[in-house]
């Protein structure tokens, strides 16, 4: 249940994490020629990645059967927790074994191509509508090459594109408290909501109950989350102006380079 609210709050805050700072389109067109984009979906379809993903999926199915067998008849919550953690650790270890080396190879290929193109930042192609240099095929070609990609000797040049790690922002005490309060609100509403739905006589009644519940949730979100979202946006915009940034994106959309302003933003939200 809590994860659902973490996701919803993260989505609400994410809207404030992409901030254009006082830049006209003409300025952006002139200043972001050092921005590259990379299609992670295309990379996941490369044979090596696809094969590793299949192996990981098959391993996961085997683990599920083993997990179900070991959990059968277990009553102790402590033992259940221990078994669950053991199987999670097995899955994580297998993922690191199969996917980890490929991810590292891809990261080196991205850094190498970015260095060759003199790019200061590479972002996920999914967030790009227009502009920038698409380096996807160059990276895939280098990744698929016979030899190992060679890491660049130089670091990325300073970038006018900034980024923030929303997971760290979500850990700011007052934001985490908002998560907890929203989760408690959900738990408090769940039982009466289910009782009303069971007692409803018609589809129209059920639709109205669902509508009322959604309105209560939306009202709570507007009172609790929206002010935090606005404050986060304002803090990010202020930090971005201080650093002379044209744009700020979430860490999840960053592939390479960029200017990390997370610490400054977290400090500004304290």
């Amino acid at each position: 249940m809590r994860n659902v609210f973490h996701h919803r709050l993260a989505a609400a805050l994410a809207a404030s994490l992409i901030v254009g700072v006082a830049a006209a389109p003409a300025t952006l067109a002139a200043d972001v020629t050092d921005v590259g984009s990379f299609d992670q979906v295309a990379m996941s379809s490369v044979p090596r990645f696809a094969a590793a993903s299949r192996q990981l999926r098959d391993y996961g199915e085997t683990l599920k059967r083993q997990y179900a067998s070991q959990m059968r008849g277990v009553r102790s919550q402590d033992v259940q927790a221990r078994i669950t953690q053991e199987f999670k650790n097995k899955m994580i270890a297998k993922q690191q074994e199969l996917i980890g080396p490929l991810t590292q190879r891809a990261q080196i290929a991205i850094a190498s191509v970015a260095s060759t193109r003199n790019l200061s930042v590479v972002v996920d192609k999914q967030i790009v509508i227009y502009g920038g240099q698409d380096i996807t095929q160059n990276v895939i070609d280098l990744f698929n090459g016979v030899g190992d990609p060679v890491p660049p000797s130089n670091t990325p040049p300073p970038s006018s594109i900034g980024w923030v790690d929303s997971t760290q922002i979500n850990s700011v005490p007052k934001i985490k408290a908002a998560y907890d309060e929203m989760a408690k609100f959900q738990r408090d509403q769940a039982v009466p909501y289910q009782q009303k739905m069971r007692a409803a006589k018609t589809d129209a009644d059920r639709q109205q109950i669902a509508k009322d519940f959604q309105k209560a949730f939306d009202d709570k979100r507007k009172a609790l989350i929206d002010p935090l979202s606005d404050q986060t946006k304002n803090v990010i915009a202020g930090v971005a102006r201080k650093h002379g940034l044209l744009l700020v994106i979430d860490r999840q959309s960053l592939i390479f380079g960029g200017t990390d302003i997370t610490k400054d933003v977290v400090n500004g939200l304290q």
Side-chain angles (χ1 to χ4, degrees), residues 178-207:
Y179 288 156
D180 295 339
E181 187 173 342
M182 288 297 292
K184 183 178 184 301
F185 178 80
Q186 171 73 5
R187 291 194 299 270
D188 291 345
Q189 294 293 315
V191 173
Y193 171 75
Q194 292 169 359
Q195 291 173 341
K196 289 180 180 180
M197 290 296 279
R198 285 195 295 267
K201 302 296 185 181
T202 66
D203 287 342
D205 290 340
R206 283 184 282 272
Q207 290 175 3

Side-chain angles (χ1 to χ4, degrees), residues 36-50 53 95 99 102-110 121-128 133-140 143 249-256:
S37 65
F38 176 71
D39 190 346
Q40 298 186 85
V41 176
M43 176 58 82
S44 69
S45 300
V46 169
R48 292 190 200 181
F49 264 110
S53 296
Q95 183 178 24
I99 306 296
L102 297 179
T103 300
Q104 184 178 17
R105 182 182 179 90
Q107 289 173 340
I108 293 174
I110 291 168
V121 64
V122 178
V123 301
D124 189 341
K125 190 177 180 181
Q126 299 298 317
I127 70 168
V128 176
Q133 300 183 44
D134 185 353
I135 64 171
T136 304
Q137 193 57 53
N138 303 89
V139 171
I140 290 176
F143 179 89
I249 64 175
D250 189 279
R251 176 67 180 86
Q252 293 184 355
S253 297
L254 180 76
I255 307 295
F256 170 82

Side-chain angles (χ1 to χ4, degrees), residues 144-164:
N144 286 333
V146 177
D148 293 332
V150 179
S153 57
N154 57 316
T155 58
S159 176
S160 59
I161 307 299
W163 59 270
V164 291

Side-chain angles (χ1 to χ4, degrees), residues 38 70 87 91 114 116 125 131 146 151 155 204 217 241 252:
F38 176 71
Q70 288 198 26
F87 277 85
M91 192 65 184
T116 301
K125 190 177 180 181
V146 177
T155 58
F217 179 86
R241 284 192 291 268
Q252 293 184 355

Side-chain angles (χ1 to χ4, degrees), residues 16-224:
S16 71
L17 299 183
I18 302 178
V19 183
V21 183
T27 302
L28 285 173
D31 289 345
V32 299
T33 54
D34 63 338
V35 175
S37 65
F38 176 71
D39 190 346
Q40 298 186 85
V41 176
M43 176 58 82
S44 69
S45 300
V46 169
R48 292 190 200 181
F49 264 110
S53 296
R54 286 194 298 271
Q55 291 180 53
L56 186 62
R57 184 177 61 250
D58 293 344
Y59 181 77
E61 292 299 323
T62 299
L63 279 188
K64 285 181 182 179
R65 292 191 293 269
Q66 294 175 355
Y67 175 77
S69 177
Q70 288 198 26
M71 290 291 279
R72 194 173 297 120
V74 176
R75 297 289 181 265
S76 169
Q77 291 186 352
D78 289 341
V79 175
Q80 290 176 351
R82 177 180 57 79
I83 294 174
T84 299
Q85 190 59 53
E86 287 177 356
F87 277 85
K88 284 183 178 178
N89 291 342
K90 288 180 180 179
M91 192 65 184
I92 291 172
K94 194 65 172 179
Q95 183 178 24
Q96 291 174 341
E97 173 191 337
L98 293 174
I99 306 296
L102 297 179
T103 300
Q104 184 178 17
R105 182 182 179 90
Q107 289 173 340
I108 293 174
I110 291 168
S112 179
V113 173
S115 177
T116 301
R117 298 284 191 91
N118 199 33
L119 301 178
S120 65
V121 64
V122 178
V123 301
D124 189 341
K125 190 177 180 181
Q126 299 298 317
I127 70 168
V128 176
I129 296 176
Y130 170 79
Q133 300 183 44
D134 185 353
I135 64 171
T136 304
Q137 193 57 53
N138 303 89
V139 171
I140 290 176
D141 290 343
L142 186 57
F143 179 89
N144 286 333
V146 177
D148 293 332
V150 179
S153 57
N154 57 316
T155 58
S159 176
S160 59
I161 307 299
W163 59 270
V164 291
D165 186 345
S166 60
T167 60
Q168 292 187 42
I169 291 176
N170 293 343
S171 297
V172 171
K174 62 184 175 184
I175 295 179
K176 183 179 182 300
Y179 288 156
D180 295 339
E181 187 173 342
M182 288 297 292
K184 183 178 184 301
F185 178 80
Q186 171 73 5
R187 291 194 299 270
D188 291 345
Q189 294 293 315
V191 173
Y193 171 75
Q194 292 169 359
Q195 291 173 341
K196 289 180 180 180
M197 290 296 279
R198 285 195 295 267
K201 302 296 185 181
T202 66
D203 287 342
D205 290 340
R206 283 184 282 272
Q207 290 175 3
Q208 186 61 49
I209 292 169
K211 183 178 179 180
D212 292 343
F213 177 79
Q214 185 62 50
K215 183 179 185 304
F217 179 86
D218 290 342
D219 289 345
K220 186 69 173 179
R221 176 185 54 78
K222 289 177 182 178
L224 185 64

